[in-house]
Amino acid sequence: RQKSVYLHPKDKGKCIKFPKQNQEKSLQREIKYIERHHGNIPFVSSYRGNISTNLGEGAIFDLICDANGKPSKSYKNAENKI
């Protein structure tokens, strides 16, 4: 795992991603990819900016949920189940 993901404490429609140690470049690549392809890939979460927290600097994304309202599994987790 390259990052930790938490529900946004003030907005249940968002999550905050924190890169693990020495993985900052991976999160930056993800943000650049999303910004470049925003709107072209409907199942990719939108990047909403950064936030300073007690855990450090995090990146805010829309939270993608399943039809039951629970957060969707990551692509990597879903891919392993196929």
Side-chain angles (χ1 to χ4, degrees):
R1 271 182 125 180
Q2 297 175 343
K3 56 191 154 296
S4 297
V5 182
Y6 297 91
L7 290 175
H8 193 295
K10 296 180 181 176
D11 186 342
K12 299 304 177 196
K14 306 269 186 304
C15 64
I16 304 173
K17 297 182 181 184
F18 297 92
K20 298 239 174 153
Q21 190 172 16
N22 299 321
Q23 294 296 323
E24 294 84 5
K25 287 183 181 181
S26 174
L27 184 58
Q28 290 303 318
R29 277 193 306 269
E30 180 180 348
I31 291 168
K32 285 181 183 179
Y33 180 86
I34 289 169
E35 288 177 332
R36 191 174 35 229
H37 298 286
H38 179 71
N40 297 327
I41 307 172
F43 53 85
V44 174
S45 181
S46 295
Y47 169 66
R48 301 296 181 181
N50 289 337
I51 187 171
S52 294
T53 74
N54 62 325
L55 297 176
E57 190 76 13
I60 302 171
F61 291 85
D62 288 339
L63 182 65
I64 298 177
C65 295
D66 292 335
N68 63 8
K70 293 186 178 183
S72 297
K73 295 188 182 301
S74 71
Y75 176 76
K76 197 79 155 168
N77 288 341
E79 180 182 49
N80 291 335
K81 304 261 183 199
I82 297 174

